Amino acid sequence: MTQRPAPSSLELPAFGIIAGEVTLAATGGEARAPEWIRVTPRGKFATRDGRSYGFDPEVLAARFVSDAVDVAVDTNHGLALRATRGEDVEPIGYAAELQARPDGTWARVNWLDPATAAGVVRKHRYVSPTFFPDASGQAVWLHSISLVATPALSMPALLHALGGTLEPSMKEIAKALGLPEDATEAACLAAIGARAEVKPLAAALGLPETADAAACLAAIGGLKDGGGSLVTQLQGQLATTSAQLNALTKAARDKEVTDLLEGALKERRIVPAQRESLVTLCASDEGLAGVKAMLAATAPNLQGSGLDGHQPGTGGEVDPVTLAAKATKIQAEHASAGNPIGYAEAVQLAADAKA
């Protein structure tokens, strides 16, 4: 026996249509449940609460044959309502055959307990199918067949009487989607599809996942209207960040220059009077590189003052200021000749010439 595919989360069963009244049959003076009962009408019919459904017996009979699944018979739609909540609901029979007749769909029922079936039929005289409709309300297949005591009962009233929550669930789904409570299943499915398309855009705009197209458009409009102020704000943030970066860079440069010149003073590669001019030269990357090259080419113990009892060394001393002046001249000469060089290279050339 095959199985029907499971309904989707939004595919809800419908009922509330009364197909007809069950008449007990008499055999040998003893009443018994009938073998054949009409389970759907033919054509379009409406429930008391305003829903409209269509029944094509040929389609339902063909689907029954295709599924090869006997349809359960119960009372008061117990299998559709209570069984889905985990309650134990016993069927009273199974429809083993469906026939398409001029007045509707008829089912041949195998009653599980023929002896008690007549009593059940006597108390529940009306037949009401539980079926799954398509988006247009046309019945597609039968879920179960119920015997009910009240004819033409509206679906909400039946749900309330049985403690069911099927109809409120659809209302809650519609409400969550921003639709009217009486929105159809097709409308809910369309809204879910549209929301799935909008979801990535909502995330990019910083909106909740539940935001709809209108909310996304409003957010985009806000960006457009406030674009000027947003640019100004970003420019201000960029200026602040740049200033902070420049301050950090200057602090690092100042420390490097201070450490370089203090070390040169301690090694007596320069004299204190040269310090300020060298600080000025170190203001640029190229100048700092040139001063480093110049100090590397300058011998230590330059121009001893005699105050500490030491005499200056002899030979090989280089005056950094003089060296810097020569380097500047060499750099200018190369530039005039169309062969520009960096300051560090000019210092090295000046030092080599001195040697």
Side-chain angles (χ1 to χ4, degrees), residues 39-86:
V39 294
T40 78
R42 178 186 288 274
K44 287 282 187 180
F45 286 84
T47 62
R48 287 179 58 188
D49 56 332
R51 290 169 296 117
S52 179
Y53 298 108
F55 298 91
D56 187 331
E58 285 75 16
V59 170
L60 294 174
R63 176 63 182 264
F64 177 84
V65 172
S66 173
D67 289 344
V69 177
D70 290 353
V71 176
V73 180
D74 65 2
T75 58
N76 296 325
H77 297 285
L79 291 171
L81 296 175
R82 294 193 298 270
T84 57
R85 299 199 302 269

Side-chain angles (χ1 to χ4, degrees), residues 65-320:
V65 172
S66 173
D67 289 344
V69 177
D70 290 353
V71 176
V73 180
D74 65 2
T75 58
N76 296 325
H77 297 285
L79 291 171
L81 296 175
R82 294 193 298 270
T84 57
R85 299 199 302 269
E87 298 181 26
D88 186 21
V89 178
E90 294 290 340
I92 60 175
Y94 285 92
E97 181 182 354
L98 290 186
Q99 283 186 2
R101 299 183 182 179
D103 61 344
T105 308
W106 286 73
R108 180 173 58 82
V109 180
N110 289 333
W111 303 102
L112 296 180
D113 187 353
T116 61
V120 175
V121 170
R122 187 176 287 110
K123 295 178 181 178
H124 304 79
R125 295 167 48 193
Y126 302 96
V127 180
S128 178
T130 299
F131 56 94
F132 280 85
D134 60 18
S136 67
Q138 191 72 21
V140 178
W141 58 276
L142 290 179
H143 171 274
S144 55
I145 302 166
S146 281
L147 301 182
V148 297
T150 305
L153 183 65
S154 67
M155 184 176 181
L158 180 60
L159 284 166
H160 179 72
L162 297 176
T165 57
L166 188 59
E167 189 75 8
S169 295
M170 176 57 80
K171 288 183 178 180
E172 291 172 5
I173 293 171
K175 184 178 179 181
L177 292 170
L179 301 175
E181 289 187 353
D182 59 351
T184 64
E185 177 184 340
C188 290
L189 290 174
I192 291 173
R195 182 156 294 176
E197 296 175 357
V198 170
K199 187 176 178 180
L201 179 59
L205 292 169
L207 299 176
E209 291 185 354
T210 55
D212 57 11
C216 291
L217 289 175
I220 293 172
L223 288 176
K224 181 179 179 181
D225 295 338
S229 60
L230 179 61
V231 170
T232 301
Q233 180 183 356
L234 292 175
Q235 288 175 337
Q237 293 175 351
L238 179 60
T240 301
T241 302
S242 298
Q244 293 172 344
L245 180 60
N246 290 337
L248 291 173
T249 303
K250 184 178 184 304
R253 169 65 61 80
D254 289 347
K255 183 178 185 306
E256 183 180 7
V257 171
T258 298
D259 292 344
L260 176 67
L261 298 183
E262 287 297 327
L265 284 169
K266 288 180 181 180
E267 295 174 354
R268 290 197 286 182
R269 294 177 186 272
I270 62 173
V271 295
Q274 298 170 327
R275 190 179 194 283
E276 291 304 319
S277 61
L278 293 177
V279 168
T280 302
L281 287 174
C282 289
S284 65
D285 291 338
E286 186 180 17
L288 177 59
V291 171
K292 287 180 178 179
M294 179 185 67
L295 293 177
T298 303
N301 300 317
L302 177 66
Q303 293 183 340
S305 63
L307 296 177
D308 57 359
H310 293 282
Q311 296 298 322
T314 59
E317 297 88 349
V318 179
D319 181 1

